[in-house]
């Protein structure tokens, strides 16, 4: 069930009305049932997988808490290892079994052997990468002395909560669990904010991301037929497509949760305004980047072992982060590329810190503008690795965008392949929006703008109502008959 589907348009209002009509004591069971219906609407059998993992982690968490309280470090460590291992094995089977078989087949073929296992018919369960990370985080925090969730119903809701079930954000139980116990009362201001978030999310997904996908789908499958300019258009299009697609999903998830009385963390903070790749990862997919920092980078040693150890830990973290996104070599290389960029920025910061003149340059406005532009384009080059189906296609696109290969063509294939005048009209509308949104975000971040304009808008709610009405009209007019799945559904 997609957030941008007709079925969700029917499902969520029904859940919303039943939720606020039901007495407090029935609301948690109602959300659990709704969450399982939401998840099982895709493949019912995988509801058993979700329930089984939930029950297993709940039992391990309770046992782990008791062992930690009795100060038995060996037993508690063994329980933690068992819990994490089972979660990773389940994730590994569904997500990496085919990838591992392919590697094994290629390795044995070098020695003239054929040890490739029989073909596996594995369908990746939706959202498994996200809820497995939530389970691991829960067990790790209980191991550190955190208070476990003692009610299975509440733990089940933490694991299955449908707004975050498929593509996050990755919740922290210490933030989510207390909200379950808080009495919920309907609040009109919260309702308005939730509706605005959902509307924004649908606008980002349906109008911006899905329209930009026309360009990226034209460019990436056949870069050999395109000019250098075509490839750059495709790279820019995908950079904004994946941002508006994923941040749109997050807005809908946050809005849906807020309408049910829950708050979930933000996942994006104007990432393309970042002045370094390090800053980019502080702004992009925040729940994942902080998870990788807290439960992978820091446990490996973090920055405590000197520059060499820090570089190793950072590179391993990003490679595994790339592999988390998908079982393919182009994701591994994308993660390694991000790791190298982070290492380069860390070394640059160490060098600049020793020079007063370099520090003055870094504080200048011109440097910040150049740093923002360069960081954006370095991220865009990484998106080539992320978006391409394999390394052969990624190599072709990179050669074009880096002008390592010229194509002697008089006419752009991209210009000839744009479908219909209707798309041209949308593009004429989208380009100003793409330019205006970062500018608007920058202005809102300024105290004077916020203090002067936003209070006046709140005093006159008609402004907000008109704005949302315009977005809804645009959705009704320009919504395509079919819309692609959210990009992060496949992870």
């Amino acid at each position: 069930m997609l957030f941008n589907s007709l079925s969700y348009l029917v499902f969520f209002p029904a859940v919303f009305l039943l939720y606020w009509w039901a007495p407090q004591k029935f609301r948690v069971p109602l959300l659990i049932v709704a969450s399982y219906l939401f998840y099982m609407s895709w493949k019912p059998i995988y509801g058993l997988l979700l329930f089984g993992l939930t029950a297993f982690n709940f039992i391990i968490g309770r046992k782990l808490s008791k062992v930690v309280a009795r100060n038995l470090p060996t037993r508690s460590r063994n329980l933690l290892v068992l819990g994490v291992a089972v979660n990773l094995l389940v994730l590994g089977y569904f997500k990496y079994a085919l990838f591992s078989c392919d590697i094994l087949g290629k390795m044995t073929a070098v020695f003239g052997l054929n040890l490739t296992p029989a073909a596996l018919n594995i369908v990746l369960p939706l959202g498994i990468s996200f809820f497995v990370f939530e389970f691991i985080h829960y067990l790790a925090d209980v191991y550190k002395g955190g208070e476990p969730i003692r009610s299975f119903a509440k733990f089940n809701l933490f694991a299955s909560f449908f707004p975050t079930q498929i593509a996050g954000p990755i919740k922290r139980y210490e933030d989510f669990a207390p909200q379950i116990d808080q009495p919920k009362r309907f609040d009109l201001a919260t309702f308005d904010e939730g509706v605005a978030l959902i509307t924004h999310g649908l606008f980002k997904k349906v109008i911006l991301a899905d329209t930009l996908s026309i360009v990226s789908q034209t460019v990436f499958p056949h870069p050999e037929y395109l000019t250098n300019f075509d490839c750059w258009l495709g790279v820019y299009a995908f950079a904004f497509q994946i941002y508006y697609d994923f941040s749109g999903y997050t807005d809908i998830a946050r809005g849906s949760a807020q309408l049910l009385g829950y708050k979930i963390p933000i996942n994006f903070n104007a990432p393309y305004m970042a002045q370094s790749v390090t800053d980019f990862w502080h702004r992009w997919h925040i729940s994942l980047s902080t998870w990788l920092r807290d439960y992978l980078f820091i446990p490996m040693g973090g920055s405590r072992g000197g520059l060499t150890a820090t570089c190793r830990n950072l590179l391993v973290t990003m490679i595994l982060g790339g592999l988390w996104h998908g079982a393919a070599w182009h994701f591994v290389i994308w993660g390694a590329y991000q790791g190298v960029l982070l290492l380069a920025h860390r070394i640059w910061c160490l060098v600049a810190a020793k020079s007063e003149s370099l520090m003055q340059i870094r504080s200048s406005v011109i440097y910040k503008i150049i740093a923002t532009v360069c960081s954006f384009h370095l991220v865009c080059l990484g998106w080539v690795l992320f978006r391409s189906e394999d390394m052969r296609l990624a190599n072709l696109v990179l050669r074009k965008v880096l002008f390592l290969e010229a194509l002697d063509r008089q006419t752009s294939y991209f210009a000839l392949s744009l479908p219909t005048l209707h798309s041209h009209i949308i593009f004429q509308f989208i380009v100003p929006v793409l330019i205006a949104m970062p500018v608007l975000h920058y202005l809102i971040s300024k105290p004077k703008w916020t203090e002067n304009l936003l209070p006046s808008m709140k005093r006159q709610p008609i402004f907000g109502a008109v704005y949302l009405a315009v977005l809804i009209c645009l959705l009704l007019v320009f919504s395509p008959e079919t819309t692609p799945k959210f990009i992060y559904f496949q992870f």
Side-chain angles (χ1 to χ4, degrees):
M1 190 184 300
L2 302 175
F3 280 169
N4 54 332
S5 66
L6 180 61
S7 55
Y8 191 75
L9 185 62
V10 175
F11 169 81
F12 183 76
V15 173
F16 172 81
L17 292 174
L18 286 173
Y19 178 81
W20 289 110
W21 171 79
Q24 293 276 355
K25 63 181 179 179
F26 294 123
R27 289 178 179 174
V28 169
L30 173 65
L31 284 183
I32 294 172
V33 171
S35 296
Y36 275 87
L37 287 174
F38 177 84
Y39 191 75
M40 295 169 68
S41 65
W42 173 64
K43 279 191 179 297
I45 191 65
Y46 282 157
L48 296 176
L49 171 68
L50 177 60
F51 182 82
L53 274 178
T54 300
F56 170 79
N57 284 280
F58 175 75
I59 294 170
I60 292 293
R62 291 293 302 272
K63 289 183 176 295
L64 186 58
S65 174
K66 293 177 181 177
V67 172
V68 169
R70 293 166 57 190
N71 195 23
L72 300 172
T74 302
R75 287 190 60 187
S76 59
R77 185 167 56 251
N78 291 340
L79 274 174
L80 175 65
V81 170
L82 173 64
V84 172
V86 169
N87 282 288
L88 291 180
L89 283 172
V90 172
L91 177 64
Y93 170 75
F94 283 103
K95 194 165 186 176
Y96 304 107
L98 295 174
F99 184 53
S100 302
C101 289
D102 182 61
I103 294 174
L104 178 62
K106 290 178 179 178
M107 290 177 61
T108 55
V110 174
F111 301 99
L113 302 174
N114 184 14
L115 298 181
T116 305
L120 299 174
N121 185 21
I122 299 174
V123 179
L124 181 67
L126 292 178
I128 189 170
S129 298
F130 290 90
F131 57 73
V132 161
F133 269 27
E134 289 181 347
F135 288 141
I136 292 175
H137 135 72
Y138 171 74
L139 295 180
D141 279 17
V142 171
Y143 173 76
K144 295 175 184 176
E147 184 69 19
I149 301 177
R150 302 192 180 277
S151 164
F152 180 67
K154 294 175 182 177
F155 186 76
N156 206 346
L157 180 60
F158 163 69
S160 65
F161 189 56
F162 71 86
T164 64
Q165 191 180 69
I166 305 300
I170 301 172
K171 305 184 298 298
R172 302 291 180 103
Y173 86 100
E174 64 269 22
D175 297 326
F176 186 82
Q179 298 184 60
I180 301 175
D181 295 321
Q182 294 171 356
K184 305 291 190 301
R185 291 180 176 82
F186 182 80
D187 178 71
L188 188 58
T190 302
F191 174 82
D192 290 343
E193 292 175 6
V195 171
L197 278 170
I198 292 174
T199 307
H200 273 115
L202 286 172
F203 179 80
K204 287 179 178 179
K205 165 61 178 170
V206 176
I207 301 300
L208 299 180
D210 289 354
T211 304
L212 290 168
S213 71
I214 298 172
V215 184
S216 62
Q217 288 171 2
T218 300
V219 169
F220 279 92
H222 303 289
E224 61 270 23
Y225 299 116
L226 306 177
T227 66
N228 308 82
F229 176 70
D230 294 336
C231 289
W232 269 115
L233 281 177
V235 172
Y236 288 142
F238 181 71
F240 285 102
Q241 177 197 349
I242 191 172
Y243 168 67
Y244 286 119
D245 189 282
F246 197 12
S247 67
Y249 174 93
T250 301
D251 286 348
I252 299 171
R254 293 180 62 223
S256 299
Q258 191 157 320
L259 289 177
L260 298 172
Y262 290 85
K263 290 189 178 296
I264 56 177
I266 64 171
N267 223 12
F268 296 91
N269 181 22
Y272 293 147
M273 302 293 285
Q275 296 177 18
S276 67
V277 176
T278 302
D279 188 23
F280 170 81
W281 280 104
H282 290 158
R283 297 164 174 259
W284 176 275
H285 205 343
I286 299 170
S287 63
L288 174 64
S289 59
T290 53
W291 193 99
L292 292 173
R293 179 198 65 198
D294 295 342
Y295 300 100
L296 191 56
F297 178 69
I298 292 177
M300 284 194 301
S303 304
R304 299 189 297 272
L307 182 59
T308 301
T310 300
C311 291
R312 178 201 63 210
N313 297 337
L314 193 55
L315 192 59
V316 170
T317 298
M318 295 311 296
I319 289 174
L320 292 176
L323 189 61
W324 176 87
H325 281 82
W329 285 113
H330 63 98
F331 286 120
V332 175
I333 296 172
W334 172 75
Y337 170 77
Q338 297 294 331
V340 170
L341 293 180
L342 292 173
L343 293 179
H345 179 253
R346 182 178 287 266
I347 293 171
W348 159 244
C349 290
L350 292 175
V351 172
K354 298 177 182 179
S355 170
E356 185 176 344
S357 58
L358 287 178
M359 292 300 293
Q360 290 178 348
I361 291 173
R362 290 186 66 190
S363 62
S364 67
V365 175
I366 294 177
Y367 174 87
K368 292 178 180 178
I369 294 173
I370 294 174
T372 301
V373 173
C374 290
S375 299
F376 171 69
H377 284 85
L378 288 172
V379 169
C380 283
L381 292 178
W383 289 138
V384 174
L385 297 168
F386 189 97
R387 172 61 177 81
S388 301
E389 294 295 328
D390 52 46
M391 285 307 301
R392 183 190 68 83
L393 290 174
N395 180 55
L396 287 172
V397 176
L398 287 172
R399 289 183 64 84
K400 292 288 180 67
V401 298
L402 295 176
F403 296 94
L404 300 176
E405 179 181 329
L407 187 64
D408 186 16
R409 293 182 63 92
Q410 298 298 320
T411 306
S412 167
Y413 176 82
F414 172 78
L416 294 176
S417 61
L418 266 180
T420 74
L421 178 63
H422 178 68
S423 293
H424 285 284
I425 295 172
I426 297 178
F427 280 116
Q428 290 171 7
F429 162 73
I430 280 182
V431 171
V433 171
L434 293 176
I435 296 171
M437 292 188 81
V439 174
L440 183 61
H441 186 280
Y442 174 79
L443 292 174
I444 289 177
S445 67
K446 295 297 180 182
K448 290 184 179 180
W449 171 276
T450 305
E451 291 170 4
N452 295 334
L453 181 62
L454 294 186
S456 64
M457 292 180 68
K458 289 180 178 179
R459 286 195 298 268
Q460 302 183 43
I462 187 65
F463 290 139
V466 170
Y467 172 67
L468 290 180
V470 170
L471 292 186
I472 292 171
C473 289
L474 290 171
L475 282 166
L476 294 174
V477 172
F478 291 116
S479 293
E481 293 182 2
T482 59
T483 179
K485 292 181 180 180
F486 288 91
I487 292 175
Y488 266 74
F489 268 29
Q490 64 185 303
F491 304 127

